[in-house]
Amino acid sequence: MDSFVKALGLYEKNGHLAGMGETYSNIASLYYLMGKVDDAIQYQKSSIEIREKLNDTNGLVITNLNIGQLYILKGVYPLAFNHLQQAIAYAQQVKKPKLLASAYAAMSAYYSRIKNYTEALDWQNKAINLFEESNDKQLLSRLYVSAGNLANVANDSLKSINYYNRALSLATELRNKENIGNAHEKMSTFYVSRHDYEKGYSHYKTYTIYRDSIAEKSNLAKITEIRTQYETEKKDNEITRLHTLETLKELQIDKQNAVIEGNVLEVKQKQIEIEILSKEKQLQDEELEKQSLLTKNREQQLALAEKEKQIRVNELANQKIVRNLLLGGLVLLLFSGFTFFNRFKLKRKIQQQADLLAIRNSISKNLHDEIGSTLTSINILSNVSQKAMLSQPEQAREMLTKIVGQSKAVQEKMSDIVWAIRPENEKIESLVARIREYAAHTLESQDIETIISLDETLLDNELSVETRKELLLICKEAISNIAKHAGASAVSLLFTKKDGQLEVKIADNGRWKGGSTGTGTKSMTDRATQLGGKLSILPGQDGTMILVQLPIP
Amino acid sequence: MNPKVLIYEDNEPLRDSVVTMLEWDNSVAVVAAFTDASSVKKDVLAYTPDVIIMDIEMPHSNGVDAVKELRTVNKEVAVLMFTVFEDDENVFNAICAGANGYILKSNLELLQASILDVLNGGAPMSGTIARKVLGFIPKYETKKDPNLELLSKRENEILDFLVKGYSYKMLAAQLAISIETVRVHIKSIYRKLHVNSATEALYKVSQGK
């Protein structure tokens, strides 16, 4: 079936009407074989249509015959009769005995159907005659079978058997399984109707055998169909391939066209490139111009730079001059500074030497005044006491006592002078220490309580040689006086700083015995004045205070 | 038995006066009086004095060296340095060398008292000497020598006050101790001076100075 459909398809594609017509007919036959009568009729109709178009009388005959048979099967007898008559007409037209015979056979079949057995037999005989003439054995066998049927119905059993046997022999001769089978079937039916069951059964058996083998045969046909299908496919593929080749060739042509177009494009591109190059050239020309301008500019700049350099050189020269001047000035300054410094140093040195000289002078003066004179005195006393020893021993003793005292005093003075000169005794602390020692020495023996204090702010103060000597002597004098005359039990010496001046307060709780004009007092006051200070004596009821005020650096 | 006194003094009048004074006093016996101390060792061995009065400055010999020398043969004899100035550097050196004290030439009325004092183991200390002592004895142990003796706190205090001019009486009052205690401290200071000066000398020798 499939192959027929495909064939149909192909025929349709190619507009091959004849093929279509045939195919329709074939499909119809298939449907008939399958038992689908209506479909078969449909297709036969289509076939007729096409064949009528083509004026294919031959085909028409066949088709009409087929339709007719189909309608007989369906039972639509009028239509069947029509078609059959048409078929006969066509057959007579084409003058083909075979077809005619077939038509007669078909007519016979029709009549048999409508149970007009006599007519049927009649037509059958006509058909048989024709077929016997054409010697179409295939159809003959079948016709014999149908003749037999008819005879049977007409209750002419002898004739029917006769016909059946002729059919069978023919069919066997032809080896047409279908016909043989058919013949056997019919014979079987005949015998059964005659109540000859044995023969009927054996014929039926034979029929079934042939039927099955036909089925086989139809399978074989199917296989052949498939093969045909495959070959058709192959032919289809060929066609497709040829089509593809055609398309390829078309594409190549296209490509060449494209190439040509491409070339055209290239040409266009090259044109554009040429334009670009020309533009570049323009640019380069402009660049050259620009560069020449730049060069000019640079030349000018160089000229400027040269001028600047000149200026700078001049500046540098100026700077150099300035620097030299400055250096010169500096050197001068240093020199002068140096000179000044030296002068200063020299001055200082001179000053120092002057100071030293002053000190030496002072010492010599002191020695001369204080010690020299006392020594002279000692000398005199010694002389006199020598003389007075025998005559006036009492006076001699007095004088000797004086000598003792005076020489002692001289010793002390010497010690004091040396002490004052010593540079390690610059600080006021040393003065106080020495005074303390003296106080202890002088007052302790009398059990006089002594307090000596030095203000802390004065600790680092330095005193000149003159100041320390004089102050020492003042204090010594005061202490000595107290020890000798005051009759005190407590003495205090306070060294303080007041209003930028050194104040020494020497106080005792005794009685003041001297006047303001006593030798001791006078010498004390003189010393103070010599130092640029002041000495005041303040006697009181509870005691006496000596206040010394000296300026200090 | 009176203590025997040996005198070294180059100034003739002074020497004579001192001898006269002492002989007149009768508390001590002057065994000899020399003008220079070149043969001090021999003299000491010969006379075995109890007290030596040594002048600091003599023409042919140095008082300090003489003390050093005589100490090599006699450690017990009391030595008093004879000096004009008490703040003489040499006095300190002499004490370090082994002298027991000093006497000022201007204070010779105290000579007898000083002799007796020194015979009794006393040791005078003045402010200037005290200052020198403080400078000499280190406050802390130095790397120099661990054998150096350091002053005690009290001793330091005493020296400080002495430097300020305090007398022993004042010191005692200030520190609330007896004068005797003060003297004991000062003796200890002297001893340490001797030890340290000896150690120092040895150290210097060992260092090759």
Side-chain angles (χ1 to χ4, degrees), chain B residues 75-124:
Chain B
K75 300 239 190 282
E76 290 86 27
V77 63
V79 178
L80 279 172
M81 304 309 289
F82 219 18
T83 181
V84 173
F85 305 112
E86 68 175 1
D87 50 1
D88 199 319
E89 184 79 22
N90 288 321
V91 173
F92 180 72
N93 291 339
I95 292 172
C96 291
N100 298 80
Y102 63 94
I103 179 107
L104 290 176
K105 284 181 184 173
S106 54
N107 276 349
L108 271 171
E109 64 266 28
L110 303 171
L111 184 59
Q112 287 97 321
S114 298
I115 289 170
L116 287 169
D117 190 27
V118 88
L119 278 170
N120 286 332

Side-chain angles (χ1 to χ4, degrees), chain A residues 51 54-65 87 90-91 93-97 99:
Chain A
R51 279 176 175 173
L54 291 172
N55 250 349
D56 181 8
T57 324
N58 280 335
L60 277 168
V61 173
I62 297 167
T63 328
N64 277 314
L65 271 177
Y90 284 130
Q93 253 185 5
V94 293
K95 290 197 172 117
K96 283 214 172 131
L99 290 168

Side-chain angles (χ1 to χ4, degrees), chain A residues 462-525:
Chain A
E462 288 181 1
L463 304 168
S464 69
V465 175
E466 200 65 34
T467 314
R468 47 188 188 238
K469 183 173 79 68
E470 297 302 333
L471 191 52
L472 176 68
L473 289 173
I474 293 170
C475 295
K476 270 191 165 178
E477 183 86 40
I479 292 167
S480 159
N481 284 343
I482 292 166
K484 278 187 227 167
H485 309 297
S489 61
V491 173
S492 74
L493 284 105
L494 303 167
F495 292 78
T496 51
K497 195 173 183 178
K498 196 173 171 186
D499 302 329
Q501 280 198 325
L502 173 65
E503 268 193 8
V504 188
K505 292 189 197 128
I506 307 165
D508 70 89
N509 61 356
R511 297 180 306 281
W512 175 250
K513 261 200 177 156
S516 28
T517 51
T519 354
T521 324
K522 192 159 188 302
S523 72
M524 281 200 292
T525 321

Side-chain angles (χ1 to χ4, degrees), chain B residues 58-187:
Chain B
M58 283 182 282
H60 300 293
S61 52
N62 180 285
V64 180
D65 293 335
V67 171
K68 277 192 202 147
E69 273 189 58
L70 75 88
R71 277 296 179 223
T72 58
V73 297
N74 189 327
K75 300 239 190 282
E76 290 86 27
V77 63
V79 178
L80 279 172
M81 304 309 289
F82 219 18
T83 181
V84 173
F85 305 112
E86 68 175 1
D87 50 1
D88 199 319
E89 184 79 22
N90 288 321
V91 173
F92 180 72
N93 291 339
I95 292 172
C96 291
N100 298 80
Y102 63 94
I103 179 107
L104 290 176
K105 284 181 184 173
S106 54
N107 276 349
L108 271 171
E109 64 266 28
L110 303 171
L111 184 59
Q112 287 97 321
S114 298
I115 289 170
L116 287 169
D117 190 27
V118 88
L119 278 170
N120 286 332
M125 180 80 75
S126 75
T128 43
I129 304 287
R131 192 192 287 131
K132 288 196 167 67
V133 171
L134 283 171
F136 183 73
I137 296 180
K139 277 227 154 82
Y140 315 103
E141 279 206 18
T142 60
K143 282 193 194 137
K144 253 188 174 176
D145 199 310
N147 288 332
L148 283 180
E149 292 218 22
L150 302 177
L151 293 168
S152 75
K153 188 168 162 244
R154 183 62 95 206
E155 286 158 2
N156 254 308
E157 279 177 320
I158 288 170
L159 287 171
D160 281 332
F161 280 116
L162 285 171
V163 168
K164 288 199 180 116
Y166 280 60
S167 69
Y168 285 18
K169 195 172 174 190
M170 286 178 182
L171 262 173
Q174 184 74 29
L175 297 172
I177 50 177
S178 69
I179 297 181
E180 196 51 46
T181 320
V182 173
R183 281 194 236 272
V184 167
H185 280 303
I186 291 179
K187 260 196 258 185

Side-chain angles (χ1 to χ4, degrees), chain A residues 117-236:
Chain A
Y117 296 115
T118 329
E119 274 291 329
L121 199 57
D122 200 20
W123 284 100
Q124 197 78 319
N125 282 331
K126 279 189 190 167
I128 288 167
N129 288 337
L130 270 174
F131 277 127
E132 278 176 357
E133 279 176 28
S134 64
N135 217 10
D136 194 339
K137 288 188 180 166
Q138 287 246 20
L139 280 167
L140 258 175
S141 70
R142 285 196 94 98
L143 283 173
Y144 284 137
V145 168
S146 36
N149 290 341
L150 287 167
N152 180 30
V153 170
N155 278 330
D156 192 353
S157 49
L158 210 71
K159 262 202 184 157
S160 70
I161 289 171
N162 193 15
Y163 278 124
Y164 282 139
N165 285 331
R166 275 161 92 184
L168 190 60
S169 61
L170 199 59
T172 317
E173 205 187 302
L174 294 171
R175 293 202 190 159
N176 191 331
K177 283 193 179 156
E178 257 189 59
N179 288 340
I180 295 168
N182 193 29
H184 276 291
E185 197 208 346
K186 292 291 184 254
M187 283 174 81
S188 147
T189 324
F190 167 72
Y191 280 118
V192 164
S193 70
R194 294 279 179 241
H195 304 290
D196 188 351
Y197 293 112
E198 205 184 311
K199 278 195 181 166
Y201 174 68
S202 73
H203 279 292
Y204 191 74
K205 220 168 118 184
T206 327
Y207 155 70
T208 42
I209 290 166
Y210 278 110
R211 191 191 64 190
D212 288 334
S213 77
I214 287 166
E216 253 187 57
K217 213 178 171 197
S218 74
N219 278 342
L220 272 170
K222 274 211 185 132
I223 288 167
T224 338
E225 266 183 45
I226 288 166
R227 243 231 252 135
T228 335
Q229 189 185 346
Y230 160 70
E231 297 211 332
T232 332
E233 259 187 51
K234 212 163 125 191
K235 290 240 165 79
D236 280 339

Side-chain angles (χ1 to χ4, degrees), chain A residues 363 366-367 371 413-421 469:
Chain A
I363 292 167
N366 274 324
L367 284 171
I371 295 163
K413 282 210 181 101
M414 284 268 289
S415 178
D416 288 338
I417 290 167
V418 169
W419 176 90
I421 293 169
K469 183 173 79 68

